[in-house]
Amino acid sequence: QFHTAMSAEELNLDEEVTSVSLTLVSKDNQSFTVESKNAIIAKLIKSGLELDSSSSSFDLQVNGSVLSKIVEYMNHHQGTEADIVEKPLRHKDMEKVCKDPFDAKFIDQVDQGSRQDLYDIILAANYMDIPALLHLGCAKVASLIKGQPLEKIKDILAQGTTTTSEKQPE
């Protein structure tokens, strides 16, 4: 009987560990709740939990608008690493290069907001160490410049930087 009771306790403990809610706090003090099992695709969070399993809140150097998108991405993938977009990029249409249709729609919607949003997602994915999201963002940038003339590529890459308005005389 004791062994059976222990197994039940261990099972309950395992369930608690996999369903702990974490609070991710953006640098502009917006809070987002995400299940730990979903959040561990961010190696920054995973290593934080490995160092201190009692952690329930993480202060991140990411804007709230960007962090909300990352939480959406985490919740969709539910702790499973997404497939990395194949290189070289074979098509400009993200639906044709992403194995998961969600990823294509997600990154296209991010880019529709503004080019700066796309670059911010890339920077945040790098900071939080989410390789699949980082590659997805970079693949989107590659899809934007694929087949474009040099001047158009310069404009695309310059969008979202502080020097965009300071055009150099030619």
Side-chain angles (χ1 to χ4, degrees):
Q1 284 182 333
F2 181 74
H3 183 17
T4 306
M6 279 296 284
S7 296
E9 284 177 25
E10 290 175 63
L11 180 62
N12 289 338
L13 182 63
D14 288 344
E15 286 175 10
E16 286 176 29
V17 169
T18 59
S19 65
V20 171
S21 289
L22 300 177
T23 302
L24 307 183
V25 183
S26 67
K27 67 181 180 182
D28 52 348
N29 289 319
Q30 294 183 45
S31 295
F32 301 90
T33 302
V34 64
E35 295 296 313
S36 60
K37 64 183 178 186
N38 296 349
I40 60 170
I41 64 170
K43 290 185 176 83
L44 178 72
I45 293 170
K46 184 177 182 180
S47 62
L49 288 171
E50 288 169 352
L51 289 172
D52 181 4
S53 60
S54 66
S55 294
S56 63
S57 181
F58 289 85
D59 292 333
L60 301 168
Q61 294 302 310
V62 177
N63 283 329
S65 60
V66 174
L67 190 53
S68 72
K69 298 301 286 176
I70 290 176
V71 167
E72 178 186 344
Y73 180 88
M74 288 174 166
N75 287 335
H76 171 77
H77 286 289
Q78 300 179 340
T80 303
E81 273 293 324
D83 291 322
I84 303 282
V85 176
E86 225 179 279
K87 292 179 260 340
L89 199 63
R90 301 203 186 287
H91 202 280
K92 290 174 69 164
D93 184 352
M94 294 304 290
E95 288 183 359
K96 294 185 178 173
V97 296
C98 291
K99 291 183 180 169
D100 184 344
F102 170 86
D103 288 348
K105 288 180 188 141
F106 173 83
I107 205 66
D108 285 342
Q109 285 176 346
V110 166
D111 185 48
Q112 285 175 358
S114 80
R115 195 60 37 82
Q116 185 62 50
D117 291 344
L118 177 59
Y119 295 145
D120 289 345
I121 287 280
I122 292 168
L123 291 171
N126 185 50
Y127 161 70
M128 294 176 69
D129 200 359
I130 310 172
L133 181 56
L134 176 61
H135 286 270
L136 179 63
C138 292
K140 179 61 184 177
V141 172
S143 77
L144 295 170
I145 65 175
K146 187 175 179 76
Q148 297 292 336
L150 183 58
E151 285 307 310
K152 178 81 172 159
I153 292 171
K154 286 179 185 178
D155 288 343
I156 291 168
L157 295 178
Q159 289 176 0
T161 63
T162 55
T163 58
T164 306
S165 59
E166 304 167 12
K167 294 225 173 189
Q168 298 295 323
E170 294 182 30

